[in-house]
Amino acid sequence: MKHEVTEQGTVIIVGLEGDVDLQSSGEARKILLECAKQKKPILVDLSKVDYIDSSGIASLVEALQTTRKGGSDLALVSVSEAALRVLELARLDKVFIICASIDEGVQKIG
Amino acid sequence: MHSIAMNNARTQIDQSKDVMSRISGHLELLSDMGQDFATSFDIDVTLSHGLERITNYVGAEGGALFLLNDEGRKLTCTASVGPIEIIGLTLGSDEGIVGRCVQDDTGEIVRDAAKDPKFKNAVDAETGFSTRSILCAPMSVKGEKIGAIELVNKKGGDGLFDNNDLFLLQSLSSSAALAIINARMAEALVEQERVRRELELAAEIQRSLLPAAGDDDFPIHGVNCPARTVSGDFYDFFPLADGRICFNLGDVSGKGMNAALLMAKTASLYRCLGKTIHEPGKLLAKINDEVCETVTRGMFVTMVGGIYDPATGKVRLANAGHEPPLFLSTDGSYTAIPAEAPPIGISPILSSGGGIPEIELDLAGGTLYVFTDGVTEGYLEDGSEMEVDGLKKLLIDNASLSAAERLQAVIACISREGIALRDDLTLLAIDDALQSAGRDKAPPATGGDGDAEKTMLHLKFPSQPDRLKLVRNAVYDTALLCGCSEAVARDIVIAIDEACQNVIRHAYKGSPDGEVVLDINREGESIVLMLQDYADSVDVSTIKPRALDDVRPGGLGTHFIREIMDEVDFVPPPGGTGNLLRMAKKIS
């Protein structure tokens, strides 16, 4: 799994790439929680995620909860087909704010 | 002389005028009250009104109407007129003058009550009333004693009642008696009608619990013919998401309303739980748990539950104390499937140890008949019982008919016009003939037997997270090779990935030295994945899918597996060590 953290205005953008599975979800969790602590809105770009498992989804849920506790919000952006299927299986597609693009995400939660 | 004669004549005329006017007064009163009684909507009001009129007409100080009750043992005053209100006053049925009048069914005039040994002084003592003379007439219809009307103390004149008074009171008490009987019969009729209507409603609701008949080519047909309005028997069938059909047939001990209610409960439990529990043995055990918790002592349900797979012709069956179902194979031989457990509602023990034993049956074009003992114990036209042999013969004799027609033929032998049924009749047929013909036409997937296995992949790997990507890729390609669509293959990948994670995290507790073996087979129309580890046995019950509205990290994997795969079971591992998880999914 690769990742990239950038900022656009006050919004943190976390891009994940490749497979977020048992091997890499620990790392993904660390990155996401690190960002969540900054109490800024977060966009997680899932466009390049080929595979995400339940542990990866769990990291996203934890990051969402931490961000909201900090008074901010977290949205998913450009969710890949593979990631969307797992979100649907978890019935979390209604829990997360899902945006088509980074611009839309910045508008929604920025 | 002349004037005396004139006076006498005038007196005679006056007297006959008196008699005439008295008779016409009597008739008017009788006619009025007869009319009142006949058209009464509220018999109590009419009687009380009638008593008042007769008391005034005869010129008595008081009047009372007594009715027999408590199965004729007591006489109670239900209406009273006069200075003392005695409604509710109760005497023994032969007590007092009124009691004697009722028992002898004769009216009487008592000129001096105090001198009559039967007179109840106690009533006067209590009420402060002074009873001098009494007129009493019984109320009875065709020898059926109902009560009596009593008038006391004639006002004016010599203060005594005469025969005219008695005659009048007797006429009135007769029509009052008739009115009371009529009112009681009407009340009973209304009550009967109400009960009948409620029973019909109950029957209608019960019929709605039975499944709608399928098309002629639907493999399962049932019929239920209640002995009374409502039935203690039931059957049901409904398709599962994977194309298999869940069915059941049951017989509640006893007949009538209590049996019907337990029937409704058991049938509802089966339909509800049957949608998620796809193992008949476990399902019946679960229903047993529920029924045992609340069932009325002494009531129980014999029941057969099963799942039929039209794709393979196989039936999995569990029998809790029910009449053995009969399997008629295509070669004309019968196999009876006896009960392997006591009826439902007897003992909660059933549920321990994984439920009621299941039997697997390959119908292979044959038919499975499930029925209640009302059928085998039903009377034939010659007065003998149908018995199992009679049923077997009848079904073979009618083999050329459709399954639904065959069941009707059986019913027609037992349920005949004008003959009351001895017990509810219920039959269910699971007919594999058409489905089997369809299967034969389809090219055999793996060479003949639908159960034939074809090994697609055998993979052994260490319990390390960095091997999961490799496993995912291999499983994805294997699923495509089996004929799965890309979407199904991707789903299967999610399931196997999560199952491997469970092995790594829970069975081997993160240790990287464990060995994991994955076999993928194609079995008929299904892809079957067998995942084996050699760690200590996992207590399966502790791995539970989490509630989805509980949004928190962790515990999702098991939910994904169950959501994606059609069948997920831990099966006994060969050699008895470790854990073997079997997951199956329909390819199309």
Side-chain angles (χ1 to χ4, degrees):
Chain A
M1 184 197 78
K2 288 188 211 160
H3 77 277
E4 190 185 11
V5 180
T6 55
E7 295 199 22
Q8 187 170 322
T10 59
V11 181
I12 304 175
I13 299 161
V14 184
L16 299 176
E17 188 180 336
D19 289 9
V20 187
D21 65 355
L22 187 59
Q23 168 79 355
S24 57
S25 62
E27 191 192 346
R29 176 174 179 269
K30 224 174 103 187
I31 298 159
L32 288 166
L33 289 181
E34 206 61 51
C35 296
K37 275 182 203 155
Q38 299 179 35
K39 303 195 174 182
K40 289 180 182 168
I42 301 174
L43 292 180
V44 185
D45 183 347
L46 296 178
S47 59
K48 291 176 184 160
V49 169
D50 299 320
Y51 184 81
I52 185 164
D53 71 355
S54 62
S55 64
I57 293 292
S59 307
L60 288 175
V61 172
E62 205 180 344
L64 174 73
Q65 287 171 336
T66 311
T67 313
R68 286 198 177 154
K69 260 181 223 153
S72 203
D73 214 340
L74 179 147
L76 306 180
V77 167
S78 313
V79 180
S80 68
E81 206 180 315
L84 189 61
R85 174 63 182 143
V86 179
L87 285 171
E88 280 167 3
L89 281 172
R91 310 277 194 276
L92 288 170
D93 50 331
K94 301 282 184 289
V95 174
F96 282 101
I97 300 167
I98 297 180
C99 305
S101 67
I102 290 184
D103 287 347
E104 189 194 326
V106 169
Q107 252 183 2
K108 247 186 195 155
I109 66 165
Chain B
M1 252 332 257
H2 180 76
S3 75
I4 290 173
M6 282 290 284
N7 278 342
N8 276 346
R10 197 171 293 125
T11 310
Q12 269 181 357
I13 290 167
D14 285 350
Q15 274 177 349
S16 58
K17 265 188 184 162
D18 269 6
V19 170
M20 286 300 286
S21 89
R22 202 165 67 205
I23 287 175
S24 96
H26 280 24
L27 285 175
E28 202 183 320
L29 180 70
L30 283 171
S31 141
D32 269 12
M33 289 179 61
Q35 188 104 22
D36 271 4
F37 287 142
T39 57
S40 163
F41 286 107
D42 185 335
I43 187 69
D44 293 334
V45 171
T46 312
L47 284 175
S48 156
H49 185 218
L51 180 69
E52 199 178 325
R53 284 187 71 176
I54 181 88
T55 307
N56 291 336
Y57 188 86
V58 173
E61 279 181 21
L65 187 137
F66 285 84
L67 291 179
L68 278 170
N69 56 35
D70 194 14
E71 288 169 356
R73 285 192 288 267
K74 298 247 164 63
L75 266 172
T76 302
C77 174
T78 59
S80 94
V81 176
I84 306 294
E85 154 86 44
I86 57 161
I87 288 179
L89 175 75
T90 299
L91 306 170
S93 62
D94 57 355
E95 267 190 290
I97 289 160
V98 64
R100 181 173 66 200
C101 170
V102 167
Q103 293 311 324
D104 298 349
D105 201 14
T106 332
E108 52 179 307
I109 302 168
V110 178
R111 290 175 197 280
D112 188 353
K115 283 191 183 152
D116 194 305
K118 266 291 190 182
F119 178 63
K120 289 278 286 186
N121 255 322
V123 179
D124 272 7
E126 199 177 304
T127 58
F129 188 77
S130 170
T131 305
R132 298 185 305 276
S133 58
I134 293 179
L135 180 68
C136 193
M139 290 188 290
S140 68
V141 173
K142 287 183 193 159
E144 186 188 342
K145 293 167 178 158
I146 293 166
I149 299 175
E150 190 180 58
L151 301 183
V152 293
N153 297 356
K154 178 145 179 167
K155 290 188 280 196
D158 57 3
L160 297 176
F161 295 107
D162 60 19
N163 281 328
N164 278 325
D165 298 331
L166 181 59
F167 170 74
L168 183 63
L169 187 62
Q170 275 176 331
S171 312
L172 276 171
S173 66
S174 303
S175 55
L178 213 59
I180 291 168
I181 288 278
N182 281 342
R184 285 179 183 171
M185 273 165 57
E187 209 171 288
L189 271 177
V190 166
E191 177 64 11
Q192 255 178 32
E193 176 63 16
R194 193 185 61 76
V195 170
R196 195 184 60 79
R197 262 210 305 267
E198 285 199 354
L199 270 177
E200 267 173 15
L201 269 177
E204 198 179 312
I205 289 170
Q206 238 192 351
R207 278 192 297 276
S208 74
L209 292 177
L210 298 175
D215 295 334
D216 278 350
D217 59 353
F218 192 76
I220 302 192
H221 292 270
V223 60
N224 168 258
C225 186
R228 303 185 188 177
T229 315
V230 291
S231 175
D233 286 2
F234 62 94
Y235 70 88
D236 195 7
F237 48 80
F238 49 91
L240 301 174
D242 59 10
R244 292 183 299 167
I245 305 165
C246 193
F247 64 88
N248 70 61
L249 181 143
D251 183 356
V252 179
S253 60
K255 288 183 273 291
M257 197 47 101
N258 53 351
L261 287 172
L262 184 54
M263 168 265 170
K265 171 174 179 162
T266 314
S268 310
L269 278 172
Y270 196 99
R271 190 164 253 259
C272 180
L273 295 172
K275 284 173 183 163
T276 49
I277 304 176
H278 296 167
E279 288 156 273
K282 279 190 186 155
L283 178 54
L284 290 193
K286 184 92 191 141
I287 293 172
N288 182 58
D289 272 356
E290 291 293 325
V291 172
C292 278
E293 269 181 33
T294 53
V295 79
T296 316
R297 193 173 282 273
M299 289 191 79
F300 59 86
V301 188
T302 69
M303 189 168 187
V304 170
I307 291 182
Y308 164 67
D309 188 347
T312 61
K314 293 218 165 96
V315 167
R316 278 167 84 182
L317 203 67
N319 183 348
H322 193 79
E323 185 90 353
L326 289 173
F327 167 51
L328 175 58
S329 77
T330 45
D331 65 11
S333 67
Y334 275 106
T335 313
I337 297 139
E340 301 270 356
I344 282 166
I346 301 266
S347 154
I349 290 170
L350 274 185
S351 326
S352 57
I356 297 173
E358 286 177 12
I359 296 142
E360 189 171 86
L361 205 64
D362 188 351
L363 297 189
T367 306
L368 178 69
Y369 294 99
V370 193
F371 48 90
T372 55
D373 55 12
V375 175
T376 44
E377 290 170 8
Y379 291 128
L380 300 172
E381 203 152 14
D382 63 5
S384 66
E385 285 187 10
M386 162 93 75
E387 296 186 351
V388 176
D389 287 341
L391 177 63
K392 283 180 174 176
K393 186 171 178 304
L394 195 58
L395 290 170
I396 288 187
D397 290 349
N398 289 294
S400 59
L401 301 178
S402 75
E405 288 166 338
R406 255 172 280 155
L407 300 186
Q408 285 304 337
V410 174
I411 296 290
C413 279
I414 306 166
S415 175
R416 294 179 304 279
E417 189 76 32
I419 310 258
L421 279 177
R422 190 179 179 186
D423 197 356
D424 305 330
L425 307 178
T426 306
L427 288 114
L428 193 67
I430 296 105
D431 190 338
D432 189 48
L434 282 172
Q435 312 296 325
S436 153
R439 281 196 299 276
D440 290 346
K441 263 183 251 157
T446 49
D449 192 349
D451 218 23
E453 290 185 16
K454 189 169 177 190
T455 305
M456 303 297 289
L457 180 74
H458 177 79
L459 193 65
K460 192 191 278 188
F461 53 96
S463 57
Q464 293 165 14
D466 62 359
R467 305 303 157 93
L468 289 178
K469 190 174 174 70
L470 187 144
V471 173
R472 289 198 297 268
N473 290 338
V475 169
Y476 182 73
D477 288 344
T478 309
L480 290 183
L481 211 60
C482 285
C484 295
S485 67
E486 287 179 6
V488 170
R490 274 198 294 270
D491 271 1
I492 292 174
V493 165
I494 295 172
I496 196 69
D497 183 84
E498 297 293 344
C500 290
Q501 283 190 43
N502 282 343
V503 168
I504 295 170
R505 289 160 63 184
H506 301 301
Y508 288 120
K509 301 184 170 66
S511 153
D513 308 323
E515 187 178 282
V516 188
V517 178
L518 171 66
D519 282 283
I520 302 183
N521 302 321
R522 190 184 160 146
E523 292 181 15
E525 292 304 302
S526 294
I527 177 169
V528 178
L529 299 93
M530 307 289 286
L531 188 68
Q532 161 113 50
D533 66 61
Y534 301 93
D536 291 339
S537 285
V538 174
D539 182 356
V540 180
S541 63
T542 61
I543 304 176
K544 282 181 188 152
R546 70 179 180 84
L548 274 173
D549 50 0
D550 175 15
V551 180
R552 61 183 167 76
L556 268 174
T558 310
H559 167 70
F560 288 177
I561 298 171
R562 293 191 184 276
E563 191 84 340
I564 290 166
M565 305 305 286
D566 299 327
E567 292 171 42
V568 182
D569 297 291
F570 279 95
V571 294
T577 50
N579 305 286
L580 180 55
L581 179 68
R582 179 184 184 277
M583 300 184 287
K585 186 163 178 68
K586 281 261 188 291
I587 288 167
S588 54

